[in-house]
Amino acid sequence: EKPLAPQPRNMIENSMFEEEPDVVDLAKESPSYPIDTDDVVYEPRSSRLLVRGLGENDLDEDEEDYESSARLLGMSFMNRSSNQRSAASSYIRQHYSGSCSMPSTKTMVVGVVVLVLVASMLMVLYFLLGCNFTTAGCQKTNSTMDSIYPNSTNGELFPWADLRLPCSVHPVHYNITLHPDLTIMTFQGSVSILVQVLNETKNIVLHSSDMNIIKATFDGKEVHFLEYKPWQQIAFKFPEDLKKGQYVLNITYTANLSSSYDGFYNSSYVDTNGIKRVLAATQFEPLAARKAFPCFDEPAFKSTFTIKMTRESKYISLSNMPKVITTDLKNGLEEDEFEKSVNMSTYLVAFIVADFISVSKNVSKTKVSVYAVPDKKEQVQYALDTACKLLEFYNSFFKNEYPLSKLDLVAIPDFLAGAMENWGLITFRETTLLVGSNSSAIDKQLVTSVIAHELAHQWFGNLVTMQWWNDLWLNEGFATYMQYISIESVFPGLDIFLNVRFKALAKDALNSSHPVSTVVSTPEQVEEMFDSVSYEKGASILLMLNATLTDGEFQKGVTQYLQKYKLSNTKSENLWNSLSQVRTIFNKQNLSVSEMMNTWTVHKGFPLVTVKRSGTQVTLTQEHFLLNAENSTDDSSLWHIPLTYVSDKCSVLNQVKWLKFNVRSDGFYIVHYDEEGWKDLIGALKEDMNVLSCKDRAALINNIFALSRSGKVSFRQVLNLMDYIRNENETAPVTEALFQLGQIYRLLDKRSELDLASRMTVSATSFDHFGSLMENQSWDLETSVSKMTLRSALLEMACSLNIRNCTTQAKHLFDQWFTSNKTSQIPSDLMRTVFKVAAQTDEGWGKLLDMYKHSINDPEKHKTLEALASTQDVWKIIWILQKSLDGSEIQTQEFPLVINTICKSFAGYLYAWDFVKENWDKITQKFSVGSFAIQSIIMSATSQFSTKTHLVEAQNFFSSLGTKGSQMRIVQEAIETIKLNMRWMENNLNTLQSWL
């Protein structure tokens, strides 16, 4: 039986109510100020509310500021089935100042929170496995719990039956001693854990993975242990209950340094003299501390740590805390001991053994240092200066000073993640920390952004940590939001946060998305939480909340939250409660921060707000926006939506020509208008595009393409809006239009609709809109980040489509640069475009490969690799796929990037897909199932499929994976995306034929 698609909550056509709709008539009087709550008679009868008479009083033209027209519309969206309505409207008093004020944002919508009861899997196991089945059915239950316990490695019953550890025992302090051997890539370790027994128990259960445990003692007596490898758990059983109190558990063990990118892993690089150098580093988030030392490896089991590291004298060692003493152990070995740490989670512990150099500077009571390999000592200064400025900013903003006496930022040559926020020892990819002398402002922007994110984590994640991975967004959403807040002053001309919101909306419009805070049980589910919902959507709803609160309330609430919960663990509700203390209610309906924000965190997706206007009446409705409502698992929830709007008039006027909702796209929702509404907006843009800000223009482009993909507007309507783009020259709308049109072009290209794709590049209504912009772009050095972003997007698109004189100019720049031994500069923001053009010839590709092997400039090296992977030569494509997976000539950390780049071209995308299928086992040995790297690989390989053949092929492959990935959420997303592509092509190919 096929589930019904969710129905729009349309308040206009709601047949469940026979009474007249609630009406606020603004035309009865001629107020010279926004309507006051006390002037409204609100009768709780139906489920819709109209606003009439958008004002009567014109203002002088000088006062007609479009942005200042953003006024809060007092509208309440009600559940159809709701039988209770507040007797007060949701208006909030606004005082007229005599001139246009800045846009205000207030809570508008009353929603219904639907509680869903989910049965515990453990209880299901208990009742099923505890039943003795006979031919007569289930007659009786077992008197013991033995049947639910798994078998440990030696065949004995393991005394625990849950992926989560029991709460009866908590760690208090770890003494960890390690000795890595970087010649044979193994390490010896011992850990002494002071534990607190909170409830009497016969068992201590903790985590351990891939270790050879030699000996274990408990309070000085040797004890036997059991291991259950599938859950990476070990257990110690005792004949009698352990009484409440503190005990010491000692474990001695050996292990191999990991050959993947988690745990305590080995890394290597080749220096400028051609000598291979080795090092050992850690990456514990989310579940890999257990691969370095036995531990209670869950965020809530916070503890203190003392670490000792034995190393060869030619290396240095680093850890979270400052070094206390170094002891000479003779035979070329030394032991470093580090200070006792603050209370923290295991995933934040870190240590490194390497041959690094550093530079340092003091900020307040903290010594800030940046470490890198000796060959790159000239590339660390920018990171040091940036980190110091940002640390000062956060110390001031949070009013809680960074608590450690040192902060190290370390560039690791072989590192999968962009960076990791280990407390006091932040690790980075070299490309996200190091800045060369020829690096552009865009390269510096990337480094600044990543440093800002990781430093924000020192408070959100480290000082205050989520209780469990279901609330990962408290770490990542906050860090993402704060990184943009902190760098606003550094790059004021570029709103990179707008693209972040668009990315999150695209992900969250899929039925395969998930709530910001969702159920997490298995290790794969934990890995999958590291996605754009936790990061970008989490950041976006915080932006929306900050815009809704009055000045300073958000910062004050966050400060109180950090102060109250420092060094402990929290849930989402703790944050909302802290913010509620500074903002008790939003309106007379007594809507709290918690009530508002729960509608954005406990339900997946976001709302579509539909605006319908009839004369002076405006009706707003909301529904869950899905690109494909078929087979939806939507629970038909409503959101509390902070609404803003802007019009062509400064006040509420009868003569309003157009309305645009969601000013600056601060709200996490998209907006649809009736036919006249779109017509009025498009007409206004064609007449003078500056009536809307560049952010609002970019949002209109983003929204209408999403609406077209969902089938709510025709593609012809998209084309009508895109007509205005010929006059556009601002970065945000141009890059969004290029991105959206580029997606369509690649779909046509991959379907072998080569004639259509070719016609699209020269059509007067598509890329040719940007022709004059492309021709006017300079190839010289540029300093403005916004201008660099615009021209690099335009020229990369132009060269990839072989239009204008782009490729000729790029070839000329490359030849000039190469023959001058790099003294004739290529602007760094154009380097990728120039290199990609050069890579299309055998000679150019060979030169780039040689450069890649020997370059120590990381931004340049990164762009060189992208160029190498953009080749159309099949043999080169196969070679680069193989070399990036085995790590022989291209670091394996770059494999997701290689897949992504190859899949953009017609020549390579099927080879990449076949390579992924044929090498899946090897890939999942390198990258954890569910990890961000795996997510990227799957979506890169499949997101441009749009045929039934490819759909069936993808379904068959993913179904065959079993425990190696078939249940991943990203697999559902991939299949859903292919179906959406198919539907869009089926519905719009004829339109494209006539359009082009």
Side-chain angles (χ1 to χ4, degrees), residues 909-910 913 945-955 978:
Y909 84 108
L910 290 180
W913 169 234
F945 290 160
S946 62
T947 65
K948 182 71 173 179
T949 300
H950 282 139
L951 173 63
V952 172
E953 189 177 326
Q955 287 173 324
I978 297 171

Side-chain angles (χ1 to χ4, degrees), residues 9-54:
R9 314 187 80 85
N10 191 318
M11 288 68 175
I12 293 179
E13 299 176 356
N14 189 345
S15 60
M16 296 178 66
F17 296 89
E18 297 178 356
E19 298 169 296
E20 289 295 316
D22 291 335
V23 172
V24 177
D25 195 339
L26 303 182
K28 287 183 179 178
E29 299 183 20
S30 302
S32 59
Y33 54 89
I35 192 161
D36 190 294
T37 309
D38 298 334
D39 298 330
V40 178
V41 178
Y42 189 96
E43 297 182 357
R45 295 181 299 180
S46 79
S47 66
R48 65 174 177 169
L49 184 147
L50 306 182
V51 174
R52 286 185 183 155
L54 294 178

Side-chain angles (χ1 to χ4, degrees), residues 241-342:
D241 280 343
L242 296 174
K243 303 301 181 183
K244 293 181 181 180
Q246 291 190 345
Y247 303 85
V248 177
L249 174 64
N250 292 304
I251 303 173
T252 304
Y253 59 96
T254 60
N256 293 321
L257 288 169
S258 172
S259 57
S260 60
Y261 290 100
D262 62 358
F264 193 16
Y265 72 94
N266 71 79
S267 176
S268 65
Y269 67 97
V270 177
D271 67 16
T272 52
N273 296 319
I275 299 171
K276 183 179 179 180
R277 304 287 185 180
V278 295
L279 62 126
T282 57
Q283 170 61 41
F284 290 162
E285 189 180 34
L287 307 171
R290 64 194 68 175
K291 295 185 176 182
F293 57 97
C295 57
F296 296 81
D297 200 11
E298 293 180 9
F301 287 106
K302 285 195 169 185
S303 177
T304 54
F305 299 82
T306 300
I307 293 172
K308 294 181 180 179
M309 183 69 69
T310 299
R311 56 172 173 79
E312 294 180 55
S313 56
K314 63 182 178 180
Y315 297 115
I316 65 167
S317 71
L318 301 169
S319 189
N320 305 84
M321 304 300 292
K323 186 168 60 176
V324 176
I325 190 172
T326 297
T327 304
D328 187 357
L329 301 179
K330 310 303 181 183
N331 300 320
L333 296 178
E334 296 178 348
E335 182 185 75
D336 295 327
E337 181 177 348
F338 299 89
E339 283 181 17
K340 180 181 178 180
S341 76
V342 291

Side-chain angles (χ1 to χ4, degrees), residues 156-210:
E156 290 185 44
L157 284 179
F158 193 78
W160 188 244
D162 198 337
L163 282 163
R164 298 283 298 276
L165 297 180
C167 295
S168 53
V169 180
H170 273 235
V172 176
H173 180 73
Y174 293 80
N175 280 302
I176 302 168
T177 302
L178 297 161
H179 178 195
D181 187 325
L182 298 186
T183 302
I184 59 175
M185 297 303 170
T186 62
F187 68 97
Q188 302 170 24
S190 67
V191 60
S192 176
I193 312 175
L194 176 64
V195 297
Q196 180 82 37
V197 174
L198 302 175
N199 298 298
E200 293 185 0
T201 178
K202 286 187 171 69
N203 307 301
I204 294 180
V205 183
L206 64 160
H207 291 107
S208 174
S209 178
D210 300 327

Side-chain angles (χ1 to χ4, degrees), residues 469-489:
W469 300 105
N470 64 304
D471 273 329
L472 176 66
W473 83 276
L474 285 174
N475 284 19
E476 299 301 349
F478 246 111
T480 303
Y481 180 53
M482 288 309 304
Q483 82 184 60
Y484 296 114
I485 292 294
S486 64
I487 65 174
E488 273 184 346
S489 61

